[in-house]
């Protein structure tokens, strides 16, 4: 048995902060959180010199990183490059995300993620397929020419990943409840996005098994007093919603309202990151359109937001600043809630015995000072 004890930082556990404590790691698993004076004899000590030790971040929406867009590189090395780029910023688990494309590319991306998981690429826990089953009335930066209806062939493909989590974003008004049930019945997590759904259509989809909302407030029907829309359904029906907290996608007041209505247990920070994250090159092509990253936002020439230049470390800092929350609450949104949403809460998302040793050391300014995935 090789034990490592992480000491010298405030430790965030499900029960709250622990001072003068240590996280004892055995291999890739958290063995215990104990008083620093009770570290087992023989354990190698890793002193962190202050700051905060929080659970590794879990990002369910990562289009790219390190100069790679998954749509352009649906292969193992493309997936590896994306995961490596985001790990630098504290993301220890992620879903490489495919923007709307043809089914052949969807199949290649699923095969790449499956192979990456089999090969043990650190941090890759599944895939997010965002489209092409979306509403052309809310395309965002997606190529509406790729949009299509869900059919039996597509359902079989979407449910084909072995060994990992599959999240599918679709427009629920364009998917019959039976189709949603067919997906969720085969283990696929279904989320609403790029949609013109009514509150009633959302409720019907939720009854069929839909549990998430992709980038809340963006590319969906807004909240209105007599038509609560997707936003109202997300906040009223107990769905888990992603938030892009980059200062561009959602006004800080809307972020705070969502938090007051839903709480951190139903909101998760996502990056919607593009290839510019972890790359010096702040320009890339998407469907024949040039996208430029500036001030944390990625935009096409007409000003349309095209994902983000956001990493999870910055998302946590933004949440603290823009939403007026403490680090513990931001950590729940960055780690615990997304892990639970993916059905992985018994493996990651908290610093607790028996969970994978995914840890992020933040300095006093909440900058990422160290990252460990499964203890490495």
């Amino acid at each position: 048995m090789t034990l490592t004890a992480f000491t010298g930082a405030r430790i965030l556990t499900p029960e709250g902060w622990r001072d003068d404590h240590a996280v004892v790691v055995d291999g890739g698993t958290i063995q215990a959180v104990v008083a620093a004076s009770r570290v087992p004899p023989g354990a190698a000590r890793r002193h962190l010199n202050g700051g905060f030790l929080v659970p590794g971040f879990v990002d369910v929406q990562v289009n790219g990183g390190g100069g790679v867009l998954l749509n352009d590189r649906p292969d193992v090395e493309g997936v590896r490059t994306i995961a490596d780029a985001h790990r630098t910023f504290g993301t220890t688990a992620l879903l490489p995300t495919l923007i709307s494309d043809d089914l052949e590319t969807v199949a290649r991306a699923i095969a790449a993620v499956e192979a990456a998981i089999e090969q043990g690429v650190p941090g890759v826990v599944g895939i997010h397929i965002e489209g092409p089953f979306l509403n052309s009335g809310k395309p965002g930066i997606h190529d509406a020419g790729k949009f299509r209806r869900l059919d039996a062939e597509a359902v079989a493909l979407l449910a084909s990943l072995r060994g990992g989590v599959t999240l599918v974003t679709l427009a629920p008004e364009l998917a019959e409840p039976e189709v949603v049930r067919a997906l969720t019945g085969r283990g696929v997590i279904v989320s609403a996005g790029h949609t013109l759904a009514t509150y009633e259509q959302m409720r019907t989809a939720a009854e069929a098994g839909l549990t998430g909302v992709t980038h809340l407030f963006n590319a969906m029907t807004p909240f209105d007093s007599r038509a609560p829309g997707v936003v109202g359904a997300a906040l009223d029906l107990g769905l888990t919603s992603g938030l892009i907290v980059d200062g561009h996608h959602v006004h800080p007041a809307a972020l705070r309202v969502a938090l007051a209505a839903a709480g951190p247990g139903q909101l998760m920070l996502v990056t919607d990151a593009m290839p510019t994250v972890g790359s010096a090159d702040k320009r890339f092509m998407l469907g024949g359109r040039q996208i430029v990253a500036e001030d944390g936002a990625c935009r096409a020439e007409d000003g349309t937001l095209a994902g983000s230049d956001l990493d999870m470390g910055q998302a946590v800092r933004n949440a603290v600043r823009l939403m007026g929350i403490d680090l513990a609450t931001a950590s729940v949104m960055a780690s615990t809630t997304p892990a639970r949403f993916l059905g992985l809460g018994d493996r990651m998302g908290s610093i607790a015995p028996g969970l994978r040793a995914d840890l992020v050391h933040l300095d006093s300014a909440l900058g990422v000072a160290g990252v460990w995935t499964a203890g490495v």
Side-chain angles (χ1 to χ4, degrees):
M1 180 173 66
T2 302
L3 299 180
T4 302
F6 293 83
T7 65
R10 299 193 75 195
I11 299 167
L12 182 61
T13 73
E15 293 75 35
W17 292 104
R18 295 290 180 265
D19 294 308
D20 299 318
H21 274 60
V23 177
V24 180
V25 173
D26 180 7
T29 304
I30 298 170
Q31 185 188 74
V33 179
V34 300
S37 60
R38 299 185 63 186
V39 170
R45 290 179 179 254
R46 179 127 192 176
H47 191 73
L48 300 178
N49 295 312
F52 311 91
L53 195 63
V54 299
F57 305 142
V58 180
D59 192 350
V60 309
Q61 190 170 9
V62 184
N63 309 301
V68 170
L69 180 72
L70 181 62
N71 290 68
D72 294 340
R73 287 282 307 279
D75 53 44
V76 173
E77 288 312 307
V79 170
R80 187 190 306 274
T81 299
I82 292 169
D84 288 350
H86 284 270
R87 190 177 313 110
T88 303
F89 304 104
T91 298
T92 56
L94 59 87
L95 298 185
T97 300
L98 190 75
I99 301 166
S100 294
D101 216 316
D102 54 53
L103 293 189
E104 179 183 358
T105 304
V106 173
R108 291 173 61 200
I110 291 173
V113 167
E114 185 171 296
I117 293 172
E118 290 175 350
Q119 294 178 25
V121 175
V124 180
V125 296
I127 189 169
H128 180 174
I129 302 168
E130 186 186 3
F133 317 102
L134 308 177
N135 195 312
S136 59
K138 287 289 184 179
I141 199 63
H142 289 242
D143 180 359
K146 300 285 188 181
F147 292 177
R148 54 169 290 162
R149 299 282 294 215
L150 263 170
D151 55 23
E153 176 191 7
V155 168
L157 175 60
L158 295 175
S160 65
L161 178 68
R162 296 174 296 177
V165 176
T166 299
L167 170 63
V168 172
T169 292
L170 52 75
E173 70 276 19
L174 303 179
E176 297 297 326
E178 292 76 16
V179 175
V180 176
R181 289 192 190 95
L183 287 170
T184 58
R186 297 181 65 172
V188 175
I189 301 169
V190 177
S191 185
H194 294 274
T195 169
L196 290 171
T198 64
Y199 174 90
E200 290 74 22
Q201 289 168 326
M202 283 291 293
R203 183 171 58 190
T204 297
E207 290 169 350
L210 180 145
T211 57
V213 173
T214 296
H215 44 56
L216 184 66
F217 296 111
N218 301 119
M220 62 187 59
T221 46
F223 181 87
D224 184 79
S225 60
R226 289 182 294 278
V230 176
V231 172
L235 301 178
D236 184 54
L237 300 178
L239 304 176
T240 303
S241 301
L243 284 174
I244 307 172
V245 186
D246 63 354
H248 301 279
H249 277 79
V250 185
H251 191 283
L255 295 171
R256 294 189 291 267
V257 167
L259 182 63
Q266 288 177 226
L267 298 175
M268 53 190 176
L269 301 180
V270 301
T271 61
D272 198 19
M274 286 298 193
T276 54
V277 173
S279 173
D281 189 354
K282 295 302 178 181
R283 296 173 182 267
F284 64 98
M285 299 300 294
L286 178 63
R289 305 173 71 180
Q290 179 171 266
I291 310 298
V292 178
E294 189 174 8
D295 296 329
C298 291
R299 297 183 187 273
E301 291 180 354
D302 63 0
T304 301
L305 284 167
S308 81
D309 191 34
L310 179 69
D311 63 76
M312 281 295 280
Q314 187 62 55
V316 167
R317 293 189 291 275
N318 288 349
V320 170
R321 178 174 60 89
L322 298 176
M323 301 177 73
I325 58 179
D326 58 18
L327 176 58
T329 302
S331 176
V332 169
M333 296 168 63
S335 306
T336 311
T337 298
R340 175 194 54 76
F341 174 66
L342 297 179
L344 302 176
D346 60 343
R347 291 171 47 190
M348 61 186 67
S350 302
I351 298 179
L355 273 61
R356 200 169 79 177
D358 291 351
L359 307 169
V360 176
H361 179 214
L362 301 176
D363 61 26
S364 58
L366 305 188
V368 175
V371 183
W372 294 265
T373 303
V376 178

